[in-house]
């Protein structure tokens, strides 16, 4: 036994020995339990790792979710177009239309967990930004989506290359809406991503945040 009476020592000394050993065993057990919880937590985190590229963003959004089908995708695209983001991004709205934005986004098809969209017209934003923000919005509302694609990758090009008869590039045609006040070029020159602000100064549309919030 750990706390047998030690010869030549008083009862008080033996009692102190017993208490010390008991405290040590208790603390050791708590530490071991803590390590076990950490290992279990890490194992759980690995088991529940991100299922797709949108989940990390979606974990910060508190929104109602719905099942994935074409009608719901169309409804959520409409929400996105009518959001604060959409009111800077799409040509249906008066203010972006006034600076030459004609861009639209539509559903092509839903195939399993994949959604295919199409982009048309001129955007002030980069076209891959438009697709990426639509993808985040859709996935926040329909978490089973794993991929949001375009049918033709050329739809994501912001410039069209004009070739001669020998296949050499003569020039690049800008597919973007005009840089109406020079801000886009200025931000690019300064190393700032223009799409983080959009074509209008923050708060011009009543929103000063660059986060998408599908509520």
């Amino acid at each position: 036994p750990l706390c047998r009476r030690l010869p030549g020592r008083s009862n008080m000394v033996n009692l102190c020995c017993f208490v010390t050993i008991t405290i040590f065993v208790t603390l050791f057990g708590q530490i071991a339990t803590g390590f076990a919880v950490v290992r279990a937590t890490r194992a759980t985190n690995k088991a529940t790792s991100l299922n797709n590229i949108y989940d990390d963003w979606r974990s910060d959004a508190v929104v109602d979710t719905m099942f994935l089908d074409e009608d719901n995708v169309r409804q959520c695209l409409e929400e996105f177009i009518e959001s604060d983001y959409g009111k800077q991004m799409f040509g249906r709205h008066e203010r972006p239309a006034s600076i030459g934005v004609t861009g639209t986004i539509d559903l092509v098809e839903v195939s399993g967990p994949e959604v295919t969209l199409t982009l048309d017209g001129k955007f002030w934003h980069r076209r891959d930004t438009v697709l990426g923000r639509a993808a985040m919005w859709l996935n926040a509302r329909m978490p089973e989506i794993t991929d949001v694609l375009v049918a033709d990758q050329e739809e994501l090009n912001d410039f069209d290359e004009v070739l001669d008869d020998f296949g050499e590039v003569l020039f690049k045609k800008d597919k973007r809406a005009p840089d109406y006040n020079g801000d886009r070029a200025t931000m690019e020159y300064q190393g700032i991503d223009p799409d983080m602000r959009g074509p209008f100064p923050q708060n011009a549309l009543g929103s000063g945040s660059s986060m998408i919030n599908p509520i």
Side-chain angles (χ1 to χ4, degrees), residues 195-209:
D195 291 356
M196 291 300 294
R197 193 206 73 176
F200 311 112
Q202 291 189 5
N203 294 321
L205 294 176
S207 174
S209 172

Side-chain angles (χ1 to χ4, degrees), residues 32 34-44:
F35 279 122
V37 170
V38 169
R39 286 196 296 270
T41 302
R42 288 176 177 171
T44 301

Side-chain angles (χ1 to χ4, degrees), residues 8-200:
R9 295 191 177 184
S10 65
N11 290 337
M12 182 61 68
V13 172
N14 284 314
L15 177 61
C16 290
C17 173
F18 176 84
V19 171
T20 301
I21 293 173
T22 301
I23 293 173
F24 175 81
V25 171
T26 302
L27 289 175
F28 181 83
Q30 290 176 344
I31 293 171
T33 301
F35 279 122
V37 170
V38 169
R39 286 196 296 270
T41 302
R42 288 176 177 171
T44 301
N45 288 342
K46 289 181 180 178
T48 58
S49 59
L50 300 181
N51 293 321
N52 60 60
I53 61 175
Y54 312 116
D55 281 353
D56 191 38
W57 177 87
R58 184 173 58 83
S59 65
D60 293 331
V62 181
V63 295
D64 293 332
T65 59
M66 58 179 66
F67 62 87
L68 173 60
D69 66 13
E70 291 191 358
D71 288 340
N72 284 342
V73 171
R74 289 191 177 93
Q75 175 186 330
C76 291
L77 279 178
E78 186 67 17
E79 292 174 355
F80 174 57
I81 293 169
E82 291 298 325
S83 69
D84 286 344
Y85 251 106
K87 289 175 181 177
Q88 298 188 51
M89 189 174 284
F90 297 104
R92 126 177 356 182
H93 302 289
E94 182 178 354
R95 193 166 191 195
S98 70
I99 62 168
V101 174
T102 61
T104 63
I105 187 168
D106 289 299
L107 174 66
V108 175
E109 66 173 357
V110 174
S111 178
E114 294 184 351
V115 175
T116 302
L117 305 176
T118 182
L119 304 179
D120 191 32
K122 292 179 176 291
F123 295 92
W124 190 92
H125 299 75
R126 293 190 307 275
R127 297 168 80 87
D128 61 355
T129 296
V130 177
L131 179 68
R133 289 177 178 171
M136 289 191 292
W137 190 286
L138 292 175
N139 184 257
R141 299 284 270 128
M142 291 166 286
E144 62 194 280
I145 294 175
T146 59
D147 291 288
V148 178
L149 316 166
V150 288
D152 185 348
Q153 286 298 310
E154 290 190 2
E155 292 186 27
L156 297 181
N157 294 338
D158 294 312
F159 299 88
D160 279 335
E161 293 183 344
V162 178
L163 309 178
D164 63 16
D165 294 338
F166 302 99
E168 298 293 330
V169 177
L170 293 176
F171 62 92
K172 292 184 178 182
K173 181 181 178 182
D174 196 341
K175 294 166 59 177
R176 298 175 298 175
D179 187 7
Y180 72 104
N181 60 358
D183 279 4
R184 186 170 61 199
T186 299
M187 286 186 281
E188 289 173 345
Y189 177 78
Q190 294 173 342
I192 301 170
D193 181 0
D195 291 356
M196 291 300 294
R197 193 206 73 176
F200 311 112

